[in-house]
Amino acid sequence: MTPSESPPQDVTARATKLRQQLQEASYAYYVLDHPTMEDEVYDRLYRELQSLEAQYPQLVTPDSPTQRVGEKPATEFPTVQHAIALYSLENAFTIEEFTDWQGRWQRLAGGDVPSEYVCELKIDGSALALRYENGVLVRGATRGDGTAGEDITPNIKTIRTIPLRLYGNNPPAWAEIRGEALIPLESFQQINQKRQHNGEMPFANPRNAAAGTLRQLDPKVVAARRLDFFAYTLYLPTEYAQIQTQWELLEWLQHFGFKVNPHRQLCSSVSAVEDFYNRWENQRHDLPYMTDGVVVKLNDIALQERLGFTQKFPRWAVALKYPAEEVPTQVVGVSAQVGRTGALTPVAQLKPVQLAGTTVSRASLHNEDRVRELDLHVGDTVVVRKAGEIIPEVVRVMPELRPEEAQPYQLPSTCPVCGSAVLRPAGEAITRCINASCPAILKGSLRHWASREALDIQGMGEKLVAQLVKRRLVASIADLYFLTVAQVADLERMGPKSAGKLVQAIANSKEKPWSRVLYGLGIRHVGSVNAQLLAQRFPSCEQLAKAKASDIESVYGIGSEIAWSIYQWFRTPANQTLIEQLQAAGVTLASEPPAAEEPASFNPQPFQGKTFVLTGTLPTMSRKDAQRFIEQRGGKVTSSVSQKTDYVVVGENPGSKQKKAESFRIPQLQETDLRHLADETT
């Protein structure tokens, strides 16, 4: 394959589906605190997408999970910006993969650099960012998307293993501590027993319980659940202390009052790492908390700084994960669920089985091809793998245990909801209902329209949507804007007061920006990031509707498949009618005119194909303003400097990115230089 060779259609479709699934799973996990995909399944799908994008760089899009740290934080608590970003860890699943990782960082370091590692058990909890000023705890926040999280300081203060004041003399002017909050297994069992006694749903696992507890509005509830905390990362002012190794860093944390994991080891070779990993694979089950692997970090902090970060991971650390647990159970039935795009997803109903403390009774079978690959029969005994303990994966079928009367499962030829014909387009793995009026599709469209990243209509949950469709009060998303308080008040568990709030929330959603309306339309392949890019290039629905596919594809980050999907959507009569109805309802279908200094048109785009990194404080632009200035002119802004960076924009008090730019001989720009460059190349 040559770099210019286009990916096959099935590969493009697969990458698109992977992006969608990973984005939805990440949103459910980080924002809703309701995981919908197991960790190992997510990890493996993520690695598959990475592989496809490496093979076909044309598949890389700005909204790909591989191009960003994570998803948006929840909003029940005040959102705060992290002074220092929280990164995820790259995963390795075997010692061979760990060795490959070692080879990668050694090549980047410029040769066979001596390797000394610090190994710690990977705690299965919830990441926290703590801020101390003059030795006093001033803020505790959740990880969120890595750059912003939720301020949950009152809840943090209830965790007794987090010091309210740093121990010892001469505390630094500030300190940023990173660590993992967790619920011990004994406490987890007691919490679930109490929840079941009160008629509440038990938590799926200790990690989920920790995340849910930290987001409780009442600190007394948090205190009663006895969370624990292990610290593992530290940032200090450069003038305060010269900590040279990761091991010294952990000792500093202990000295100043933090609990660090006692099960850690300094390893001077891959074989020593392997010994630590193997020893704890079985012993971890005797621990009073959950752990799913070993975190391995380079001990030399100067080497860590040299290696830096990718867009998502530190290059100097890796999570060496333990294999997923597997158990057998029996398939008692299979049903097909219909999503908002009409996609039919076969779901196996399982004989309930305990899997690492979780009761598993369902497993997605993904699509028709997967069912055939498994040769799945109703009544089969299957092996289910533990991943996120929420939606397990069927690993394989055990045909030797198949009952004689067992019948192979066939995806229905008609929609199980509306009875209409279903179709599997050529080159796609998904079978879809083609009836645009299908209640399942309508319900999915309404839920998507009301979701937080779209129109954010508070109070419009799944049960309410189901009633609206069942009562035939809405036949499209536009019908929401013509609902009356009396109609809504007549629904179950609604009254005049709550109905009034909902109708007002729907009315308020008319003011949401055009980019969110575009995302809410649910056009295939258009995620929230793509919607923002498109809204910048086409500031009104009318402009986008009239655009040619080639014009849409010219937008940086929009590929041919996405462009064609948008083009076709706006040429469908039913969708044209929908836009007219939304316009009549007063929904925002155009952006506000750009400020005087911003270009009224995004053609030409002088920074097309160029990558920028921002560091320091600029004279007149905020970080977001500068990023918007670059992106509106076709450029891309990344968080770390690499040899692929074209320019580094430097402001006052720049960080280590400036030194790295100098080492790579990357051109540096002041704010005035950036503006001149935009003018000169226009």
Side-chain angles (χ1 to χ4, degrees):
M1 186 203 76
T2 62
S4 61
E5 185 176 336
S6 297
Q9 185 178 1
D10 60 335
V11 172
T12 302
R14 176 63 175 169
T16 301
K17 187 63 178 177
L18 285 170
R19 283 195 296 271
Q20 178 184 344
Q21 286 183 316
L22 292 171
Q23 287 165 347
E24 291 177 354
S26 187
Y27 176 81
Y29 182 88
Y30 289 109
V31 180
L32 304 181
D33 288 335
H34 182 69
T36 59
M37 183 184 290
E38 322 82 67
D39 285 351
E40 180 161 304
V41 172
Y42 183 97
D43 292 337
R44 290 178 182 275
L45 292 180
Y46 182 91
R47 287 153 67 88
E48 181 184 351
L49 180 59
Q50 272 187 316
S51 177
L52 292 178
E53 291 180 348
Q55 188 176 5
Y56 299 101
Q58 307 97 312
L59 294 176
V60 179
T61 63
D63 65 328
S64 173
T66 65
Q67 301 301 300
R68 58 189 301 171
V69 174
E71 303 301 318
K72 298 173 73 173
T75 56
E76 283 84 352
F77 292 87
T79 299
V80 293
Q81 295 293 317
H82 295 307
I84 301 168
L86 283 77
Y87 284 78
S88 302
L89 287 176
E90 184 177 359
N91 290 325
F93 294 93
T94 64
I95 293 298
E96 289 73 22
E97 290 187 1
F98 174 79
T99 304
D100 291 341
W101 169 81
Q102 176 178 266
R104 290 197 298 274
W105 75 252
Q106 286 182 334
R107 285 192 295 273
L108 285 170
D112 188 14
V113 181
S115 56
E116 187 175 51
Y117 299 111
V118 174
C119 292
E120 298 177 72
L121 293 182
K122 184 177 182 296
I123 305 301
D124 201 13
S126 187
L128 295 180
L130 309 179
R131 174 80 176 185
Y132 288 80
E133 293 181 0
N134 298 315
V136 178
L137 176 67
V138 296
R139 190 176 73 200
T142 62
R143 179 187 184 278
D145 67 353
T147 60
E150 298 170 307
D151 187 338
I152 55 169
T153 306
N155 290 349
I156 295 294
K157 290 182 176 180
T158 69
I159 304 175
R160 294 185 178 272
T161 46
I162 295 179
L164 301 182
R165 178 184 290 274
L166 297 178
Y167 298 157
N169 299 320
N170 189 30
W174 61 265
E176 290 275 341
I177 313 297
R178 304 289 186 259
E180 202 83 3
L182 63 138
I183 289 185
L185 292 174
E186 183 179 355
S187 298
F188 172 69
Q189 293 168 357
Q190 293 172 355
I191 291 168
N192 269 353
Q193 288 172 0
K194 184 175 181 180
R195 289 177 69 85
Q196 289 173 320
H197 178 75
N198 295 335
E200 299 174 302
M201 285 291 292
F203 286 114
N205 50 60
R207 179 188 59 223
N208 196 234
T213 299
L214 288 168
R215 298 177 71 252
Q216 289 287 323
L217 295 177
D218 185 357
K220 293 180 181 178
V221 175
V222 185
R225 292 183 179 175
R226 296 181 294 172
L227 272 72
D228 203 348
F229 179 80
F230 283 123
Y232 53 67
T233 299
L234 164 71
Y235 299 95
L236 297 169
T238 53
E239 68 274 9
Y240 175 75
Q242 294 298 319
I243 297 176
Q244 297 181 348
T245 67
Q246 184 72 26
W247 195 264
E248 290 176 9
L249 182 153
L250 294 173
E251 290 180 332
W252 189 99
L253 288 168
Q254 272 191 307
H255 176 74
F256 277 85
F258 290 94
K259 186 176 180 180
V260 299
N261 198 306
H263 306 302
R264 63 187 189 276
Q265 181 175 314
L266 199 59
C267 299
S268 59
S269 65
V270 172
S271 61
V273 171
E274 184 175 10
D275 289 343
F276 183 89
Y277 172 80
N278 290 338
R279 182 168 75 253
W280 280 103
E281 183 169 7
N282 292 321
Q283 291 184 14
R284 66 193 173 105
H285 297 296
D286 299 326
L287 292 169
Y289 49 80
M290 295 289 289
T291 178
D292 58 355
V294 173
V295 176
V296 186
K297 298 177 183 177
L298 283 166
N299 193 36
D300 188 334
I301 289 180
L303 182 55
Q304 291 182 9
E305 293 174 351
R306 277 176 56 196
L307 292 172
F309 299 81
T310 67
Q311 193 134 359
K312 189 174 178 67
F313 309 120
R315 293 191 177 94
W316 41 266
V318 69
L320 187 52
K321 302 290 285 288
Y322 288 117
E325 296 182 23
E326 299 178 351
V327 297
T329 187
Q330 195 170 14
V331 177
V332 297
V334 181
S335 61
Q337 295 183 341
V338 184
R340 69 176 176 86
T341 63
L344 269 65
T345 303
V347 177
Q349 279 77 51
L350 307 173
K351 185 176 180 180
V353 62
Q354 284 291 311
L355 193 57
T358 302
T359 301
V360 173
S361 59
R362 292 160 56 87
S364 173
L365 296 167
H366 305 297
N367 54 51
E368 187 176 17
D369 288 345
R370 179 57 177 159
V371 174
R372 289 177 180 173
E373 180 185 344
L374 289 168
D375 185 28
L376 185 76
H377 289 52
V378 176
D380 272 342
T381 297
V382 295
V383 175
V384 183
R385 173 182 296 161
K386 176 206 170 189
E389 298 100 14
I390 303 298
I391 305 178
E393 175 186 20
V394 175
V395 181
R396 63 183 182 276
V397 170
M398 302 179 70
E400 62 273 19
L401 298 177
R402 178 173 293 158
E404 291 184 4
E405 68 279 7
Q407 296 296 315
Y409 175 74
Q410 297 287 336
L411 206 64
S413 57
T414 58
C415 175
V417 176
C418 69
S420 300
V422 296
L423 175 69
R424 178 174 173 177
E428 293 193 16
I430 304 299
T431 300
R432 300 181 188 277
C433 172
I434 57 176
N435 174 20
S437 300
C438 175
I441 296 176
L442 176 57
K443 285 190 284 188
S445 298
L446 291 169
R447 289 195 299 268
H448 179 71
W449 180 262
S451 66
R452 188 171 297 169
E453 285 191 319
L455 279 293
D456 193 19
I457 302 175
Q458 298 293 320
M460 204 171 134
E462 186 172 349
K463 292 182 179 179
L464 182 64
V465 166
Q467 289 190 72
L468 291 173
V469 174
K470 185 177 181 180
R471 298 276 192 96
R472 297 185 178 180
L473 294 176
V474 295
S476 76
I477 55 179
D479 290 342
L480 291 171
Y481 296 92
F482 300 97
L483 288 171
T484 66
V485 173
Q487 287 175 315
V488 177
D490 192 42
L491 300 175
E492 294 177 13
R493 298 189 178 183
M494 296 294 287
K497 185 176 181 180
S498 43
K501 287 183 178 180
L502 179 64
V503 171
Q504 186 60 51
I506 293 172
N508 293 343
S509 73
K510 296 179 184 181
E511 306 302 320
K512 297 296 182 183
W514 157 230
S515 61
R516 294 180 63 169
V517 172
L518 177 56
Y519 172 66
L521 291 174
I523 302 173
R524 285 190 66 196
H525 311 313
V526 177
S528 58
V529 175
N530 282 342
Q532 292 174 21
L533 294 172
L534 290 161
Q536 289 175 355
R537 174 64 180 83
F538 302 99
S540 73
C541 181
E542 183 180 7
Q543 288 175 293
L544 183 57
K546 291 180 178 179
K548 299 177 182 177
S550 57
D551 295 332
I552 301 171
E553 191 177 348
S554 69
V555 177
Y556 181 71
I558 303 298
S560 59
E561 186 175 7
I562 301 173
W564 183 249
S565 175
I566 297 166
Y567 178 80
Q568 291 285 58
W569 192 92
F570 278 103
R571 272 140 195 85
T572 302
N575 296 333
Q576 294 170 353
T577 301
L578 173 62
I579 293 298
E580 292 172 359
Q581 293 172 337
L582 290 173
Q583 189 171 22
V587 174
T588 300
L589 295 175
S591 303
E592 293 182 3
E597 71 272 18
E598 301 294 346
S601 170
F602 293 94
N603 279 326
Q605 294 188 308
F607 295 160
Q608 182 73 39
K610 300 297 183 183
T611 300
F612 295 75
V613 171
L614 306 171
T615 182
T617 304
L618 300 180
T620 67
M621 288 183 175
S622 69
R623 185 67 63 92
K624 287 186 177 180
D625 289 338
Q627 181 170 345
R628 189 181 305 113
F629 182 88
I630 292 167
E631 290 176 345
Q632 287 178 340
R633 290 157 179 80
K636 178 182 178 182
V637 178
T638 61
S639 60
S640 58
V641 178
S642 72
Q643 292 179 335
K644 295 182 179 179
T645 304
D646 294 292
Y647 299 101
V648 173
V649 182
V650 180
E652 187 179 354
N653 298 320
S656 59
K657 295 175 184 177
Q658 184 183 32
K659 293 181 180 179
K660 197 165 185 180
E662 292 171 353
S663 67
F664 286 151
R665 298 184 179 180
I666 295 170
Q668 298 181 33
L669 305 174
Q670 303 293 324
E671 181 183 320
T672 53
D673 299 328
L674 178 68
R675 294 184 182 275
H676 289 156
L677 182 65
D679 294 337
E680 290 171 2
T681 52
T682 300

